[in-house]
């Protein structure tokens, strides 16, 4: 069996939502201490709904595929819904990741949570 599913390879070769959002409403950056990879997520939010989302990932192929899939999964959702996205759901949508690559999908979950937290902090004037 191939190590990576077709879906992983597709999102790795042709990642969706790559880039930066100028004047984003929330930005989250997380790093993986083990491998040193970094993921950054930008959110554009209107009426608590994620109108646009972009990512930059300085990391492995699984991290790129995970960010691509995760951004697709939260686009058009409310920020509350985005917070419920788990790395397991991302990996499942990718039709699985090898066990030693599951931690790469954790970055996507954490970066989204950090971006939503940043959005909420800005909204409440804490930043
Ligand atoms: Fe670092 Fe995948 S090996 S995120």
């Amino acid at each position: 069996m191939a190590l990576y599913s077709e879906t992983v390879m597709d999102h790795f070769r042709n990642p969706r939502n790559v880039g930066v959002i100028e004047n984003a409403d929330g930005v989250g950056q997380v790093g993986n201490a083990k491998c040193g990879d970094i993921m950054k997520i930008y959110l554009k939010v209107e009426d608590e709904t994620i109108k646009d989302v972009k990512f930059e990932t300085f990391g492995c192929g699984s991290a790129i595929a995970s960010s691509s899939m995760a951004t697709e999964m939260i686009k058009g959702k409310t920020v509350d819904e985005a917070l419920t996205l788990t790395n397991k759901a991302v990996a499942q949508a990718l039709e699985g990741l090898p066990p030693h690559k599951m931690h790469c999908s954790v970055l996507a979950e954490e970066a989204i949570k950090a971006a939503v937290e940043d959005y909420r902090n800005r909204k409440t004037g804490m930043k």
Side-chain angles (χ1 to χ4, degrees), residues 35 37 60 63 101 103-104 107:
C35 62
D37 290 346
C60 71
K101 285 289 178 180
H103 73 271
C104 314
L107 271 188

PDB file of all heavy atoms in Angstrom, residues 35 37 60 63 101 103-104 107, ligand 1:
ATOM      1  N   CYS A  35       9.952  18.778  14.996  1.00  0.00           N
ATOM      2  CA  CYS A  35      10.536  18.853  13.654  1.00  0.00           C
ATOM      3  C   CYS A  35      10.906  20.274  13.261  1.00  0.00           C
ATOM      4  O   CYS A  35      11.587  20.479  12.255  1.00  0.00           O
ATOM      5  CB  CYS A  35       9.565  18.282  12.630  1.00  0.00           C
ATOM      6  SG  CYS A  35       8.027  19.211  12.557  1.00  0.00           S
ATOM      7  N   ASP A  37       8.884  22.540  12.186  1.00  0.00           N
ATOM      8  CA  ASP A  37       8.021  23.079  11.138  1.00  0.00           C
ATOM      9  C   ASP A  37       7.058  24.120  11.713  1.00  0.00           C
ATOM     10  O   ASP A  37       6.685  24.061  12.882  1.00  0.00           O
ATOM     11  CB  ASP A  37       7.231  21.942  10.472  1.00  0.00           C
ATOM     12  CG  ASP A  37       8.141  21.047   9.645  1.00  0.00           C
ATOM     13  OD1 ASP A  37       9.280  21.473   9.390  1.00  0.00           O
ATOM     14  OD2 ASP A  37       7.720  19.951   9.273  1.00  0.00           O
ATOM     15  N   CYS A  60       6.619  19.878   6.241  1.00  0.00           N
ATOM     16  CA  CYS A  60       6.645  18.677   5.418  1.00  0.00           C
ATOM     17  C   CYS A  60       5.384  18.564   4.552  1.00  0.00           C
ATOM     18  O   CYS A  60       4.427  19.324   4.720  1.00  0.00           O
ATOM     19  CB  CYS A  60       6.753  17.461   6.325  1.00  0.00           C
ATOM     20  SG  CYS A  60       5.235  17.169   7.229  1.00  0.00           S
ATOM     21  N   ALA A  63       2.136  18.215   6.449  1.00  0.00           N
ATOM     22  CA  ALA A  63       1.698  19.473   7.064  1.00  0.00           C
ATOM     23  C   ALA A  63       1.033  20.355   6.000  1.00  0.00           C
ATOM     24  O   ALA A  63       0.019  21.002   6.267  1.00  0.00           O
ATOM     25  CB  ALA A  63       2.883  20.196   7.697  1.00  0.00           C
ATOM     26  N   LYS A 101       3.075  10.489  11.046  1.00  0.00           N
ATOM     27  CA  LYS A 101       2.811  11.804  10.438  1.00  0.00           C
ATOM     28  C   LYS A 101       1.546  12.450  11.001  1.00  0.00           C
ATOM     29  O   LYS A 101       1.160  13.534  10.566  1.00  0.00           O
ATOM     30  CB  LYS A 101       2.668  11.656   8.908  1.00  0.00           C
ATOM     31  CG  LYS A 101       3.999  11.443   8.217  1.00  0.00           C
ATOM     32  CD  LYS A 101       4.788  12.743   8.259  1.00  0.00           C
ATOM     33  CE  LYS A 101       6.157  12.624   7.646  1.00  0.00           C
ATOM     34  NZ  LYS A 101       6.895  13.891   7.707  1.00  0.00           N
ATOM     35  N   HIS A 103       1.155  13.836  13.806  1.00  0.00           N
ATOM     36  CA  HIS A 103       1.467  15.094  14.516  1.00  0.00           C
ATOM     37  C   HIS A 103       1.458  16.289  13.562  1.00  0.00           C
ATOM     38  O   HIS A 103       1.246  17.421  13.997  1.00  0.00           O
ATOM     39  CB  HIS A 103       2.813  14.996  15.245  1.00  0.00           C
ATOM     40  CG  HIS A 103       4.001  15.032  14.339  1.00  0.00           C
ATOM     41  ND1 HIS A 103       4.559  13.907  13.781  1.00  0.00           N
ATOM     42  CD2 HIS A 103       4.725  16.064  13.862  1.00  0.00           C
ATOM     43  CE1 HIS A 103       5.578  14.249  13.026  1.00  0.00           C
ATOM     44  NE2 HIS A 103       5.703  15.554  13.049  1.00  0.00           N
ATOM     45  N   CYS A 104       1.650  16.036  12.280  1.00  0.00           N
ATOM     46  CA  CYS A 104       1.640  17.135  11.301  1.00  0.00           C
ATOM     47  C   CYS A 104       0.234  17.732  11.197  1.00  0.00           C
ATOM     48  O   CYS A 104       0.092  18.940  11.017  1.00  0.00           O
ATOM     49  CB  CYS A 104       2.093  16.633   9.942  1.00  0.00           C
ATOM     50  SG  CYS A 104       3.571  15.597  10.021  1.00  0.00           S
ATOM     51  N   LEU A 107      -0.745  20.339  13.860  1.00  0.00           N
ATOM     52  CA  LEU A 107      -0.361  21.735  13.594  1.00  0.00           C
ATOM     53  C   LEU A 107      -1.537  22.507  13.005  1.00  0.00           C
ATOM     54  O   LEU A 107      -1.769  23.661  13.366  1.00  0.00           O
ATOM     55  CB  LEU A 107       0.801  21.783  12.579  1.00  0.00           C
ATOM     56  CG  LEU A 107       2.234  21.736  13.066  1.00  0.00           C
ATOM     57  CD1 LEU A 107       3.167  22.004  11.904  1.00  0.00           C
ATOM     58  CD2 LEU A 107       2.493  22.725  14.180  1.00  0.00           C
TER      59      LEU A 107
HETATM   60 FE1  LIG B   1       7.014  18.540  10.825  1.00  0.00          FE
HETATM   61 FE2  LIG B   1       5.303  17.104   9.483  1.00  0.00          FE
HETATM   62  S1  LIG B   1       7.331  16.570  10.003  1.00  0.00           S
HETATM   63  S2  LIG B   1       4.935  18.955  10.515  1.00  0.00           S
END
